[in-house]
Amino acid sequence: MNREILLVSCLFLLALAAGVALFYVLDDAGDDGIVPDEQGISQDDFGVKSKDKARRQGDRVAYTSAAAGGADRPKPGTAGEPLQLGRGETTLEGYVIGGDGKPVADALASVFEDRSDTASFTLQGVLFGQVLTDASGRFRFQGAPSDEPLLLRVDHEEFATWSQGALTLSDGQTKSLKIKLQRGLSLQGSVLDLAGNPLPDASIIVVDQNTRAIDPTRTVERIAVSDARGEFSFNNLTRGIKKVTASKAGYASVSRVSINLAPRRDVAPLSFVLETGAVIRGRVVDQDGMPIASVVISAEPIRRRTNNVPAGNYPPVKSDENGEFVMEGLLDGMYRLACYKKGFGSSRRQNAKTGAEAVQIEMKRRPVVRGRIVDAESGQPIKKFSVVLGRSENLIFTSNQSTQRFESEDGSFEFSDLVLKGEFYLFAEARGYAWSRSDLILTSAEEDIDGILISLIRGAKVRGRITNTAGKPIAGAQVELIPRQQQQSGDAGMFLGLIQASLRTAKRRARTNDKGEYEFENVHAGSFVTKARHSKFAAGEHEELIFVDGKSDARMPDLQLMQGGTLKGIVLEKDGKSGADCLIQISPKAGFGGGGKGSYSTRSDAQGRFIVKSIRPGIYNVQVSERNGEVAQIFEQMLLRKKREEIIIGDGETQEIRLR
């Protein structure tokens, strides 16, 4: 394996072990790997600003979702009117209903960029726009970015939040979604002081730990305030792992982490006891001693000296125009401060003690790369494009989080926050062109780089056809053209295939016409695999990699889709009762080299029954990995794995199974 493959392999294994998405930590990108956007993050975004926003539920005060709102956020568009997001020819629309099938008015639909590097996770990036549903439950966005992963989120106080990532629209496409909102889960608790007295008007924040966002305020799911008895309650929370934080002016904030909410799983009321809070004050300056405004500062306790406060207990704050900041609500002790601002990157961690003199943090401006993007044939500037940073020669192994977007009349760009040292490449992407990269760039940690020129070509056209096993065309199939590295033999090739299947690569999507034909334009040179999906057929893909030279048009072999098989079943508990809300996983019996290809999952209903259709013919292992909505511990998962059943599914066949 070369260095890039080895790096990605190690990171991928770490990601699986941690249960988080794969992203690349560049040389000096900060300890978290993900840094917040410049989107008005302040301490107020995490607190309750105005009780006028409250909705009364009995005598308790509850707040609706704060993740899509907050300071410096765009105001939602008028209900019933389409919201124009850009100049593109795309339309993203939806029809929102409740569990009873009736339309839901005044639901907040939000469109974000999806900055994730993996296919299995989402990462909320820039918020493009928001609009409220009308009386008929409908919303519409026009001009959303094309050929770029989007994340759509829908919030309403009477329902659990709904979201879907990896939505990609082709130019001119209209995508319509039917969104069904469900009632959510409840959580209660109380807030007291050290003497046991109730603390009214305390702020309680629920953060969904299954959601990732570059802007940390986006992970806030609900906010509430305690009543006169210090009590609070939440309704309509989503299932999953939560972090709940209680705070009040003059007191130290306290968090409860890893709270697992699931249907039919009772969570005991939470009790928060707040003691007197401490403060850290400071100032952020550049290398010349000049103040830096709008720096995002976060504080993590040095555990041995701060009572083992959990990581992420305290929300970040932002420096003012004088570079000054105040972090309130801390327990007395030592903390490690981290700072971020675009153009300066992340500062080295610096220790600070509560109650001490104001700390001064110096940030150095990051080097930048300047250059131009032009048309290879005419030499004319390309006015709208993206630039991506990476070490590999292939765009596959670059992080989506290193992408910066530009629009300039002369095709010029200034790529800020240069975090790589030594050797690296810059990649350029623009609509109507295949991606291209710069020559190898050599740099030290301190110097700016000028004069980079990247020329883009139009690329190749790739055509093909999707049929059924009788050779008849399939219309309306979704086809993906996915770049792949050349396969290697042995275990190295198997492992590389697993990694590539998991990465959020530069996939291209198209739909087949009435003749089953599809076409991709502006395809760069490289090796590709084609996948196709249709609701009435099992998903299929070419087994062989197809090479495209990036200049000549290419024809893909016809891809035949099978009808697929159906698996019906029921989950039973030890006492013979049905297993409701269990997660059933169906995996091909292909060993480690299968790369997860052809895996399926579903949940059982209230009677423990489930059904999965359009399964690709083959031999599968079927097992229950969650029971009653609760994730099993590692030891329990090992026992469940031993109980898996093996089945053979043929094309067009229906199999039935009982799982215990």
Side-chain angles (χ1 to χ4, degrees), residues 102-153:
K102 296 181 180 180
V104 177
D106 294 328
L108 182 65
S110 307
V111 175
F112 303 86
E113 65 173 344
D114 189 347
R115 294 281 294 277
S116 178
D117 292 321
T118 64
S120 302
F121 297 85
T122 61
L123 176 62
Q124 288 181 179
V126 173
L127 173 63
F128 290 123
Q130 301 174 321
V131 69
L132 295 169
T133 56
D134 60 17
S136 63
R138 300 185 184 277
F139 66 87
R140 176 179 293 180
F141 296 98
Q142 293 181 334
S146 59
D147 301 321
E148 181 176 320
L150 304 175
L151 186 148
L152 176 64
R153 172 174 173 157

Short mmCIF file of all heavy atoms in Angstrom, two decimals, residues 102-153:
data_model
loop_
_atom_site.label_atom_id
_atom_site.label_comp_id
_atom_site.label_asym_id
_atom_site.label_seq_id
_atom_site.Cartn_x
_atom_site.Cartn_y
_atom_site.Cartn_z
N LYS A 102 -52.45 13.92 7.99
CA LYS A 102 -52.89 15.29 7.73
C LYS A 102 -51.68 16.20 7.52
O LYS A 102 -50.62 15.99 8.11
CB LYS A 102 -53.74 15.80 8.89
CG LYS A 102 -55.04 15.03 9.08
CD LYS A 102 -55.85 15.61 10.25
CE LYS A 102 -57.16 14.85 10.43
NZ LYS A 102 -57.95 15.39 11.57
N PRO A 103 -51.83 17.22 6.67
CA PRO A 103 -50.70 18.13 6.41
C PRO A 103 -50.30 18.89 7.66
O PRO A 103 -51.12 19.20 8.53
CB PRO A 103 -51.24 19.07 5.33
CG PRO A 103 -52.72 18.99 5.44
CD PRO A 103 -53.03 17.59 5.88
N VAL A 104 -49.00 19.19 7.75
CA VAL A 104 -48.44 19.92 8.89
C VAL A 104 -48.04 21.32 8.42
O VAL A 104 -47.14 21.47 7.59
CB VAL A 104 -47.22 19.19 9.48
CG1 VAL A 104 -46.62 20.01 10.63
CG2 VAL A 104 -47.61 17.80 9.96
N ALA A 105 -48.72 22.33 8.95
CA ALA A 105 -48.40 23.72 8.61
C ALA A 105 -47.34 24.25 9.57
O ALA A 105 -47.17 23.77 10.69
CB ALA A 105 -49.65 24.59 8.68
N ASP A 106 -46.60 25.28 9.12
CA ASP A 106 -45.61 25.98 9.93
C ASP A 106 -44.46 25.09 10.39
O ASP A 106 -43.81 25.37 11.40
CB ASP A 106 -46.26 26.64 11.15
CG ASP A 106 -47.20 27.77 10.75
OD1 ASP A 106 -46.94 28.42 9.73
OD2 ASP A 106 -48.21 27.97 11.45
N ALA A 107 -44.20 24.02 9.66
CA ALA A 107 -42.97 23.26 9.89
C ALA A 107 -41.82 24.00 9.22
O ALA A 107 -41.99 24.58 8.14
CB ALA A 107 -43.09 21.84 9.34
N LEU A 108 -40.65 24.00 9.85
CA LEU A 108 -39.50 24.73 9.33
C LEU A 108 -38.62 23.79 8.53
O LEU A 108 -37.99 22.88 9.08
CB LEU A 108 -38.70 25.35 10.47
CG LEU A 108 -37.48 26.18 10.07
CD1 LEU A 108 -37.91 27.42 9.29
CD2 LEU A 108 -36.67 26.57 11.31
N ALA A 109 -38.56 24.01 7.21
CA ALA A 109 -37.69 23.22 6.34
C ALA A 109 -36.39 23.98 6.11
O ALA A 109 -36.41 25.16 5.75
CB ALA A 109 -38.38 22.93 5.01
N SER A 110 -35.26 23.33 6.33
CA SER A 110 -33.95 23.97 6.21
C SER A 110 -33.08 23.15 5.26
O SER A 110 -33.05 21.92 5.34
CB SER A 110 -33.25 24.05 7.57
OG SER A 110 -34.08 24.66 8.55
N VAL A 111 -32.35 23.85 4.38
CA VAL A 111 -31.43 23.19 3.46
C VAL A 111 -30.00 23.60 3.82
O VAL A 111 -29.68 24.79 3.87
CB VAL A 111 -31.72 23.56 1.99
CG1 VAL A 111 -30.68 22.95 1.07
CG2 VAL A 111 -33.10 23.07 1.59
N PHE A 112 -29.15 22.60 4.10
CA PHE A 112 -27.74 22.80 4.41
C PHE A 112 -26.90 22.12 3.33
O PHE A 112 -27.37 21.23 2.63
CB PHE A 112 -27.37 22.16 5.75
CG PHE A 112 -28.16 22.63 6.93
CD1 PHE A 112 -29.38 22.03 7.26
CD2 PHE A 112 -27.69 23.64 7.74
CE1 PHE A 112 -30.09 22.44 8.36
CE2 PHE A 112 -28.40 24.06 8.86
CZ PHE A 112 -29.61 23.47 9.16
N GLU A 113 -25.65 22.51 3.25
CA GLU A 113 -24.71 21.67 2.51
C GLU A 113 -24.34 20.50 3.40
O GLU A 113 -24.30 20.64 4.63
CB GLU A 113 -23.47 22.44 2.10
CG GLU A 113 -22.60 22.93 3.25
CD GLU A 113 -21.30 23.53 2.80
OE1 GLU A 113 -20.91 23.30 1.64
OE2 GLU A 113 -20.66 24.22 3.61
N ASP A 114 -24.11 19.34 2.80
CA ASP A 114 -23.68 18.16 3.54
C ASP A 114 -22.18 18.00 3.30
O ASP A 114 -21.75 17.63 2.21
CB ASP A 114 -24.44 16.92 3.05
CG ASP A 114 -24.19 15.70 3.92
OD1 ASP A 114 -23.25 15.74 4.73
OD2 ASP A 114 -24.93 14.70 3.78
N ARG A 115 -21.39 18.27 4.33
CA ARG A 115 -19.94 18.30 4.19
C ARG A 115 -19.28 16.98 4.59
O ARG A 115 -18.06 16.92 4.75
CB ARG A 115 -19.36 19.43 5.06
CG ARG A 115 -19.74 20.82 4.61
CD ARG A 115 -18.92 21.30 3.45
NE ARG A 115 -17.52 21.47 3.81
CZ ARG A 115 -17.03 22.55 4.41
NH1 ARG A 115 -17.83 23.57 4.70
NH2 ARG A 115 -15.75 22.64 4.71
N SER A 116 -20.04 15.92 4.73
CA SER A 116 -19.47 14.66 5.18
C SER A 116 -18.56 14.05 4.13
O SER A 116 -18.76 14.22 2.93
CB SER A 116 -20.60 13.68 5.53
OG SER A 116 -20.08 12.43 5.93
N ASP A 117 -17.57 13.29 4.60
CA ASP A 117 -16.67 12.56 3.72
C ASP A 117 -17.09 11.11 3.54
O ASP A 117 -16.47 10.38 2.77
CB ASP A 117 -15.25 12.57 4.28
CG ASP A 117 -14.64 13.97 4.25
OD1 ASP A 117 -14.88 14.69 3.27
OD2 ASP A 117 -13.95 14.33 5.21
N THR A 118 -18.11 10.65 4.27
CA THR A 118 -18.51 9.26 4.21
C THR A 118 -19.96 9.13 3.81
O THR A 118 -20.76 10.04 3.97
CB THR A 118 -18.32 8.56 5.57
OG1 THR A 118 -19.20 9.18 6.53
CG2 THR A 118 -16.90 8.69 6.06
N ALA A 119 -20.29 7.95 3.28
CA ALA A 119 -21.64 7.72 2.80
C ALA A 119 -22.63 7.45 3.92
O ALA A 119 -23.83 7.58 3.74
CB ALA A 119 -21.63 6.54 1.81
N SER A 120 -22.15 7.06 5.10
CA SER A 120 -23.03 6.61 6.18
C SER A 120 -23.35 7.69 7.21
O SER A 120 -24.16 7.47 8.09
CB SER A 120 -22.40 5.40 6.89
OG SER A 120 -22.16 4.35 5.98
N PHE A 121 -22.69 8.84 7.12
CA PHE A 121 -22.89 9.90 8.09
C PHE A 121 -23.16 11.22 7.37
O PHE A 121 -22.78 11.38 6.21
CB PHE A 121 -21.66 10.07 9.00
CG PHE A 121 -21.36 8.87 9.85
CD1 PHE A 121 -20.61 7.82 9.34
CD2 PHE A 121 -21.82 8.79 11.14
CE1 PHE A 121 -20.32 6.71 10.12
CE2 PHE A 121 -21.54 7.68 11.93
CZ PHE A 121 -20.79 6.65 11.42
N THR A 122 -23.77 12.14 8.07
CA THR A 122 -23.96 13.48 7.52
C THR A 122 -23.19 14.48 8.37
O THR A 122 -22.86 14.21 9.52
CB THR A 122 -25.45 13.87 7.51
OG1 THR A 122 -25.95 13.86 8.86
CG2 THR A 122 -26.27 12.92 6.65
N LEU A 123 -22.90 15.63 7.79
CA LEU A 123 -22.21 16.71 8.49
C LEU A 123 -22.79 18.02 7.99
O LEU A 123 -22.53 18.44 6.87
CB LEU A 123 -20.70 16.66 8.23
CG LEU A 123 -19.88 17.80 8.83
CD1 LEU A 123 -19.99 17.81 10.35
CD2 LEU A 123 -18.43 17.71 8.40
N GLN A 124 -23.62 18.66 8.83
CA GLN A 124 -24.25 19.91 8.44
C GLN A 124 -23.22 21.00 8.25
O GLN A 124 -22.43 21.30 9.14
CB GLN A 124 -25.26 20.36 9.52
CG GLN A 124 -26.51 19.51 9.56
CD GLN A 124 -27.51 19.98 10.61
OE1 GLN A 124 -28.57 19.42 10.74
NE2 GLN A 124 -27.19 21.02 11.35
N GLY A 125 -23.25 21.61 7.07
CA GLY A 125 -22.36 22.70 6.77
C GLY A 125 -23.12 24.01 6.71
O GLY A 125 -23.95 24.31 7.57
N VAL A 126 -22.88 24.79 5.68
CA VAL A 126 -23.50 26.10 5.52
C VAL A 126 -25.01 25.95 5.34
O VAL A 126 -25.49 25.08 4.63
CB VAL A 126 -22.89 26.84 4.32
CG1 VAL A 126 -23.65 28.13 4.03
CG2 VAL A 126 -21.43 27.14 4.58
N LEU A 127 -25.76 26.81 6.01
CA LEU A 127 -27.21 26.87 5.84
C LEU A 127 -27.53 27.71 4.61
O LEU A 127 -27.22 28.90 4.56
CB LEU A 127 -27.87 27.48 7.08
CG LEU A 127 -29.37 27.76 7.00
CD1 LEU A 127 -30.16 26.47 6.80
CD2 LEU A 127 -29.84 28.49 8.26
N PHE A 128 -28.17 27.10 3.60
CA PHE A 128 -28.52 27.82 2.39
C PHE A 128 -29.81 28.62 2.54
O PHE A 128 -29.94 29.72 2.00
CB PHE A 128 -28.66 26.85 1.21
CG PHE A 128 -27.36 26.25 0.77
CD1 PHE A 128 -27.19 24.88 0.74
CD2 PHE A 128 -26.30 27.06 0.40
CE1 PHE A 128 -26.00 24.32 0.33
CE2 PHE A 128 -25.09 26.51 0.00
CZ PHE A 128 -24.94 25.14 -0.04
N GLY A 129 -30.79 28.08 3.27
CA GLY A 129 -32.05 28.79 3.43
C GLY A 129 -33.08 27.98 4.18
O GLY A 129 -32.94 26.76 4.35
N GLN A 130 -34.14 28.67 4.63
CA GLN A 130 -35.22 28.05 5.39
C GLN A 130 -36.56 28.59 4.91
O GLN A 130 -36.65 29.75 4.50
CB GLN A 130 -35.07 28.35 6.89
CG GLN A 130 -33.77 27.87 7.50
CD GLN A 130 -33.60 28.32 8.94
OE1 GLN A 130 -33.95 29.45 9.29
NE2 GLN A 130 -33.07 27.46 9.78
N VAL A 131 -37.58 27.74 4.97
CA VAL A 131 -38.91 28.18 4.60
C VAL A 131 -39.93 27.40 5.44
O VAL A 131 -39.67 26.26 5.84
CB VAL A 131 -39.16 27.96 3.09
CG1 VAL A 131 -39.25 26.49 2.75
CG2 VAL A 131 -40.41 28.71 2.63
N LEU A 132 -41.06 28.04 5.73
CA LEU A 132 -42.13 27.40 6.49
C LEU A 132 -43.11 26.72 5.54
O LEU A 132 -43.37 27.22 4.44
CB LEU A 132 -42.86 28.43 7.35
CG LEU A 132 -42.06 29.09 8.47
CD1 LEU A 132 -42.83 30.26 9.05
CD2 LEU A 132 -41.72 28.08 9.55
N THR A 133 -43.66 25.59 5.97
CA THR A 133 -44.69 24.94 5.18
C THR A 133 -45.99 25.73 5.25
O THR A 133 -46.28 26.39 6.26
CB THR A 133 -44.94 23.50 5.66
OG1 THR A 133 -45.28 23.54 7.06
CG2 THR A 133 -43.71 22.64 5.47
N ASP A 134 -46.79 25.67 4.18
CA ASP A 134 -48.07 26.37 4.16
C ASP A 134 -49.15 25.49 4.79
O ASP A 134 -48.86 24.44 5.37
CB ASP A 134 -48.43 26.79 2.74
CG ASP A 134 -48.55 25.60 1.78
OD1 ASP A 134 -48.68 24.46 2.26
OD2 ASP A 134 -48.53 25.83 0.55
N ALA A 135 -50.39 25.93 4.67
CA ALA A 135 -51.50 25.21 5.29
C ALA A 135 -51.66 23.80 4.74
O ALA A 135 -52.20 22.92 5.41
CB ALA A 135 -52.80 26.01 5.11
N SER A 136 -51.19 23.58 3.51
CA SER A 136 -51.29 22.25 2.91
C SER A 136 -50.04 21.41 3.18
O SER A 136 -49.91 20.30 2.65
CB SER A 136 -51.50 22.36 1.40
OG SER A 136 -50.38 22.98 0.78
N GLY A 137 -49.12 21.94 4.01
CA GLY A 137 -47.93 21.19 4.37
C GLY A 137 -46.83 21.20 3.33
O GLY A 137 -45.90 20.40 3.40
N ARG A 138 -46.88 22.13 2.38
CA ARG A 138 -45.92 22.11 1.27
C ARG A 138 -44.88 23.21 1.41
O ARG A 138 -45.14 24.27 1.96
CB ARG A 138 -46.66 22.25 -0.06
CG ARG A 138 -47.65 21.12 -0.30
CD ARG A 138 -48.29 21.19 -1.69
NE ARG A 138 -49.29 20.14 -1.86
CZ ARG A 138 -49.01 18.89 -2.21
NH1 ARG A 138 -47.75 18.55 -2.45
NH2 ARG A 138 -49.97 17.99 -2.33
N PHE A 139 -43.68 22.92 0.88
CA PHE A 139 -42.61 23.91 0.80
C PHE A 139 -41.86 23.69 -0.50
O PHE A 139 -41.93 22.63 -1.13
CB PHE A 139 -41.65 23.77 1.99
CG PHE A 139 -40.87 22.48 2.01
CD1 PHE A 139 -39.66 22.36 1.32
CD2 PHE A 139 -41.33 21.38 2.71
CE1 PHE A 139 -38.94 21.18 1.32
CE2 PHE A 139 -40.62 20.18 2.73
CZ PHE A 139 -39.42 20.09 2.03
N ARG A 140 -41.10 24.71 -0.90
CA ARG A 140 -40.34 24.61 -2.15
C ARG A 140 -39.11 25.50 -2.10
O ARG A 140 -39.17 26.66 -1.70
CB ARG A 140 -41.20 24.99 -3.35
CG ARG A 140 -40.43 24.99 -4.67
CD ARG A 140 -41.32 25.35 -5.83
NE ARG A 140 -42.33 24.32 -6.06
CZ ARG A 140 -43.25 24.40 -7.03
NH1 ARG A 140 -43.30 25.46 -7.82
NH2 ARG A 140 -44.12 23.43 -7.19
N PHE A 141 -37.97 24.91 -2.48
CA PHE A 141 -36.72 25.65 -2.66
C PHE A 141 -36.36 25.63 -4.15
O PHE A 141 -36.42 24.57 -4.77
CB PHE A 141 -35.57 25.03 -1.86
CG PHE A 141 -35.76 25.06 -0.38
CD1 PHE A 141 -36.24 23.95 0.30
CD2 PHE A 141 -35.44 26.19 0.35
CE1 PHE A 141 -36.41 23.97 1.67
CE2 PHE A 141 -35.60 26.23 1.72
CZ PHE A 141 -36.08 25.12 2.39
N GLN A 142 -35.97 26.75 -4.68
CA GLN A 142 -35.54 26.82 -6.07
C GLN A 142 -34.10 27.32 -6.13
O GLN A 142 -33.67 28.13 -5.32
CB GLN A 142 -36.46 27.74 -6.87
CG GLN A 142 -37.87 27.20 -7.02
CD GLN A 142 -38.77 28.10 -7.85
OE1 GLN A 142 -38.54 29.30 -7.92
NE2 GLN A 142 -39.79 27.53 -8.47
N GLY A 143 -33.37 26.81 -7.14
CA GLY A 143 -32.00 27.26 -7.33
C GLY A 143 -31.02 26.68 -6.33
O GLY A 143 -29.97 27.26 -6.10
N ALA A 144 -31.36 25.51 -5.73
CA ALA A 144 -30.40 24.87 -4.83
C ALA A 144 -29.18 24.42 -5.62
O ALA A 144 -29.28 24.11 -6.81
CB ALA A 144 -31.06 23.66 -4.14
N PRO A 145 -27.99 24.40 -5.00
CA PRO A 145 -26.79 23.99 -5.73
C PRO A 145 -26.95 22.60 -6.33
O PRO A 145 -27.49 21.69 -5.69
CB PRO A 145 -25.71 24.00 -4.64
CG PRO A 145 -26.22 24.92 -3.59
CD PRO A 145 -27.71 24.77 -3.60
N SER A 146 -26.53 22.45 -7.57
CA SER A 146 -26.62 21.16 -8.25
C SER A 146 -25.31 20.39 -8.10
O SER A 146 -24.25 20.98 -7.89
CB SER A 146 -26.95 21.35 -9.73
OG SER A 146 -25.97 22.14 -10.37
N ASP A 147 -25.42 19.07 -8.21
CA ASP A 147 -24.25 18.18 -8.13
C ASP A 147 -23.45 18.40 -6.86
O ASP A 147 -22.22 18.29 -6.84
CB ASP A 147 -23.35 18.36 -9.36
CG ASP A 147 -24.09 18.06 -10.65
OD1 ASP A 147 -24.89 17.11 -10.65
OD2 ASP A 147 -23.89 18.77 -11.64
N GLU A 148 -24.13 18.72 -5.78
CA GLU A 148 -23.48 18.96 -4.50
C GLU A 148 -24.35 18.37 -3.40
O GLU A 148 -25.55 18.62 -3.35
CB GLU A 148 -23.30 20.47 -4.28
CG GLU A 148 -22.62 20.83 -2.99
CD GLU A 148 -22.40 22.33 -2.88
OE1 GLU A 148 -22.06 22.97 -3.89
OE2 GLU A 148 -22.59 22.87 -1.78
N PRO A 149 -23.80 17.52 -2.51
CA PRO A 149 -24.61 16.88 -1.48
C PRO A 149 -25.30 17.90 -0.58
O PRO A 149 -24.67 18.83 -0.08
CB PRO A 149 -23.60 16.03 -0.70
CG PRO A 149 -22.46 15.84 -1.62
CD PRO A 149 -22.39 17.09 -2.45
N LEU A 150 -26.59 17.72 -0.38
CA LEU A 150 -27.38 18.62 0.46
C LEU A 150 -27.98 17.82 1.62
O LEU A 150 -28.12 16.60 1.56
CB LEU A 150 -28.52 19.26 -0.34
CG LEU A 150 -28.13 20.04 -1.59
CD1 LEU A 150 -29.38 20.49 -2.33
CD2 LEU A 150 -27.26 21.23 -1.24
N LEU A 151 -28.33 18.55 2.67
CA LEU A 151 -29.01 17.95 3.81
C LEU A 151 -30.30 18.74 4.04
O LEU A 151 -30.26 19.96 4.19
CB LEU A 151 -28.13 17.98 5.05
CG LEU A 151 -28.67 17.26 6.28
CD1 LEU A 151 -27.51 16.67 7.10
CD2 LEU A 151 -29.49 18.16 7.19
N LEU A 152 -31.41 18.05 4.05
CA LEU A 152 -32.72 18.67 4.30
C LEU A 152 -33.18 18.28 5.69
O LEU A 152 -33.15 17.11 6.07
CB LEU A 152 -33.74 18.21 3.26
CG LEU A 152 -35.17 18.71 3.45
CD1 LEU A 152 -35.25 20.22 3.31
CD2 LEU A 152 -36.11 18.04 2.45
N ARG A 153 -33.62 19.30 6.44
CA ARG A 153 -34.08 19.08 7.81
C ARG A 153 -35.43 19.75 8.00
O ARG A 153 -35.65 20.85 7.51
CB ARG A 153 -33.05 19.65 8.78
CG ARG A 153 -33.50 19.67 10.23
CD ARG A 153 -32.38 20.11 11.13
NE ARG A 153 -32.84 20.30 12.50
CZ ARG A 153 -32.06 20.25 13.55
NH1 ARG A 153 -30.78 20.00 13.41
NH2 ARG A 153 -32.55 20.45 14.76
#
